[in-house]
Amino acid sequence: MARVLVLYKKPKNAEAFDKYYASVHIPLAKKIPGLKKYDISTAPLRTPAGESNVHLAATLYFDSLDALKAGMGSAEGKAAGSDLANFADGGADLYIFDTKEV
């Protein structure tokens, strides 16, 4: 299964980020073709040493890297990607990878 991991860094206004993310960005992202599952963190991310600069983590799941590339390259995927500029003022890191069970 292929995944996109998005780590959203702490925004200037966490309440505004959370509201926009829930009401606008999640519905946009859920329209990406080939998306099988989508989950987000429910609490601030921490490291073994304590707090981190990450406000929220999101993971999007696809059947394969080809499905992921097609979905992210679609009009819906591009719309979700372009939407980051509307709310992720702290920045976001995206990681794309394939997985296997071990």
Side-chain angles (χ1 to χ4, degrees):
M1 182 163 272
R3 298 181 189 176
V4 177
L5 173 64
V6 186
L7 300 177
Y8 294 98
K9 299 197 176 131
K10 289 187 178 180
K12 293 176 185 169
N13 182 328
E15 185 178 324
F17 175 101
D18 292 342
K19 183 177 178 181
Y20 187 94
Y21 190 83
S23 65
V24 178
H25 192 71
I26 288 174
L28 273 177
K30 284 189 162 188
K31 293 179 183 178
I32 298 172
L35 180 66
K36 296 296 180 184
K37 181 179 168 183
Y38 179 11
D39 58 39
I40 62 170
S41 59
T42 58
L45 276 73
R46 300 182 58 80
T47 71
E51 289 189 33
S52 77
N53 69 337
V54 177
H55 176 70
L56 184 135
T59 310
L60 291 78
Y61 300 77
F62 296 83
D63 283 335
S64 67
L65 282 175
D66 287 339
L68 184 155
K69 289 176 189 175
M72 298 304 280
S74 70
E76 295 87 348
K78 290 177 183 176
S82 294
D83 189 47
L84 295 178
N86 295 324
F87 69 96
D89 58 17
D93 294 325
L94 281 79
Y95 300 92
I96 297 170
F97 56 96
D98 208 354
T99 63
K100 67 178 180 178
E101 288 191 34
V102 295

